[in-house]
Amino acid sequence: MKRQNVSNIELKELKGKIKASDYSRLVDFAPRIPITVSTLSKKLNGKADFTTTEICRACKELHIPKEEILKYFFPHMFHNETNST
């Protein structure tokens, strides 16, 4: 039985971080985690989830501080926040 992705949220911030990095292309970045380009694409597009190990490796490669992990890997946690006055 196929596991359904709970968040199904595209990781736009993470995509931007990769493009702005030394790796700039998924084909250059994926082996650093290490996963295939196809798997990385699925994960960035919300079709699959990153493992804890992959998150740790990606943060190390992209110089993402622990305080910003939620921003890049779990944006759905802030999806419904609004600025109310």
Side-chain angles (χ1 to χ4, degrees):
M1 185 170 178
K2 184 178 178 184
R3 185 174 148 237
Q4 186 175 358
N5 182 290
V6 177
S7 63
N8 202 26
I9 301 288
E10 181 180 6
L11 301 179
K12 293 178 185 177
E13 293 283 337
L14 184 56
K15 284 182 182 181
K17 186 78 168 171
I18 293 168
K19 287 183 180 187
S21 76
D22 294 338
Y23 304 109
S24 72
R25 300 179 317 149
L26 297 185
V27 71
D28 299 323
F29 182 68
R32 303 300 300 172
I33 297 183
I35 57 176
T36 66
V37 175
S38 174
T39 299
L40 178 58
S41 180
K42 287 177 185 174
K43 292 176 185 229
L44 291 172
N45 289 305
K47 307 294 183 201
D49 296 322
F50 281 93
T51 66
T52 305
T53 301
E54 293 165 348
I55 291 172
C56 291
R57 289 178 178 162
C59 287
K60 180 180 177 186
E61 293 297 326
L62 297 172
H63 308 289
I64 296 173
K66 64 182 175 184
E67 298 83 15
E68 294 183 6
I69 290 173
L70 293 178
K71 171 184 170 183
Y72 289 103
F73 292 93
F74 304 98
H76 59 282
M77 294 180 75
F78 305 102
H79 186 68
N80 293 326
E81 285 187 9
T82 58
N83 293 331
S84 58
T85 54

